[in-house]
Amino acid sequence: MTDESHDEHAEEHEQPPREEFGHDPIGHADVRDGMSVGELVDQYGEAGIGAADLNAAVDIYAEMLGDDDVTNFFGLAGAMVPTGMRKIVADLIRDGHIDVLVTTGANLTHDAIEAIGGKHHHGRTHGEGTMREHDEQLRDEGVDRIYNVYLPQEHFALFEEHLRSKVFPEVEETVSIQRLTEELGRANAEVNENEGIDEGAGVAAAAYENDVPIYCPAIQDSVLGLQAWMYSQTTDFALDALGDMTPLTDLAFDAEKSGAMVVGGGVPKNFVLQTMLVAPDSYDYAVQLTMDDEQTGGLSGATLEEARSWGKIEKAGRNASVYADATITLPLVVAAARERIGE
């Protein structure tokens, strides 16, 4: 082969210039006996698809938690309390890792039920008959089902009595929703301690004890909201739906840096993110744990990149989304982030 033909042959196989491709080969996760959660998540970072996303989420969340200048907003949607995520959130509050909590009336309802002595239960996973027949039997037996979590209906009667005797009488006037959630946390903590409940006092109590505001913008969409409405029919009690906007906006406005951990979608997600629309800056960090797709065009599935277009996340902000069941990903992300910051 002549020198000239050799040069032509080499030219044909020369690699093209690559601006998008970063030479970073995929590794193969090494899983060993006795690994910590943090070590496992480090191995996720060697892999691809969802494993790499979860590793990125831990990196960002650990940076959020480890920086004292960051004001941490936490959005909690879905059935996270009845499915066993309650203590994780309460401990984050107690350890100073949540400065603002935005959640649903349903999570606050189930949190209070556990605080005052009720319990959620595992139910049967297999049995004779169809699921419809199973649910019809549960209806006859007075048991409510949330996927594979079961709650006896008498706990809602216990909750109603708790609200009417310990919570609502303390706010018999027009109050903000945050003021009501504060009173709920106080009452949960008081009953939990006085009656020696085995289960901890929970999320609302931790928030009350640590001066962390809880915002619940869609409170009407819950048993807590239904009970508040019924109580308002015979008393002067009322909720000011706009009363929380100023203090929440002030927190965003005054934040030196800000971070958002969004678990699930719906109203809590939007309420957390939209707060930055009226603040001088946007979120510096954002992590989303969800199973919702963006293709439907709904808010729950909207990507954090889309939020950047609205000015909810800084152009240079760090963000990651993990698409999986949050009852699996939240414990992993929190445990690994805690490990990385030395807790």
Side-chain angles (χ1 to χ4, degrees), residues 43-310:
Q43 291 300 308
Y44 279 20
E46 297 292 326
I49 311 183
D53 291 338
L54 191 138
N55 179 269
V58 170
D59 279 343
I60 294 169
Y61 196 48
E63 190 168 332
M64 285 168 55
L65 300 189
D67 188 340
D68 292 338
D69 293 331
V70 174
T71 299
N72 286 290
F73 293 72
F74 197 103
L76 186 69
M80 298 303 287
V81 167
T83 54
M85 302 294 106
R86 178 176 182 256
K87 190 174 187 300
I88 293 173
V89 179
D91 286 345
L92 284 170
I93 292 172
R94 291 192 182 95
D95 292 338
H97 295 320
I98 295 178
D99 300 301
V100 179
L101 176 63
V102 180
T103 191
T104 61
N107 275 317
L108 292 175
T109 296
H110 293 281
D111 177 59
I113 285 173
E114 295 252 350
I116 61 178
K119 284 298 297 180
H120 299 82
H121 300 270
H122 294 283
R124 77 166 193 183
T125 54
H126 300 286
E128 295 181 1
T130 65
M131 282 306 297
R132 174 168 179 158
E133 291 169 333
H134 176 54
D135 287 320
E136 288 173 351
Q137 183 176 346
L138 290 175
R139 174 70 176 271
D140 292 339
E141 294 177 359
V143 177
D144 296 326
R145 179 170 73 89
I146 307 169
Y147 187 53
N148 58 4
V149 175
Y150 294 73
L151 180 67
Q153 289 179 358
E154 58 264 26
H155 292 333
F156 286 110
L158 182 69
F159 178 57
E160 178 180 1
E161 171 58 27
H162 177 61
L163 292 175
R164 288 181 170 268
S165 64
K166 299 290 194 303
V167 181
F168 292 150
E170 301 300 320
V171 287
E172 275 200 349
E173 56 188 46
T174 300
V175 296
S176 69
I177 297 171
Q178 189 275 320
R179 175 72 185 91
L180 175 62
T181 64
E182 179 182 40
E183 202 59 43
L184 179 65
R186 178 205 58 77
N188 290 355
E190 180 182 281
V191 171
N192 189 266
E193 181 178 1
N194 291 345
E195 298 189 9
I197 307 297
D198 289 338
E199 188 60 57
V203 175
Y208 170 76
E209 292 166 351
N210 291 273
D211 296 321
V212 171
I214 297 179
Y215 299 105
C216 185
I219 194 171
Q220 301 95 322
D221 187 27
S222 65
V223 172
L224 174 58
L226 283 171
Q227 290 294 337
W229 168 72
M230 287 191 286
Y231 191 77
S232 74
Q233 301 305 293
T234 57
T235 67
D236 293 330
F237 171 74
L239 290 174
D240 178 2
L242 298 178
D244 290 335
M245 300 301 290
T246 298
L248 176 61
T249 300
D250 287 347
L251 286 167
F253 199 94
D254 294 338
E256 184 174 338
K257 299 180 193 174
S258 57
M261 165 60 88
V262 180
V263 181
V267 174
K269 173 182 176 179
N270 191 60
F271 208 64
V272 166
L273 294 177
Q274 78 168 13
T275 300
M276 291 301 164
L277 292 177
V278 288
D281 299 310
S282 305
Y283 283 111
D284 299 284
Y285 307 96
V287 173
Q288 175 179 235
L289 309 179
T290 185
M291 291 184 70
D292 294 303
D293 287 328
E294 65 175 311
Q295 285 84 355
T296 60
L299 183 280
S300 290
T303 65
L304 295 178
E305 285 72 23
E306 182 179 303
R308 183 176 280 106
S309 78
W310 289 75

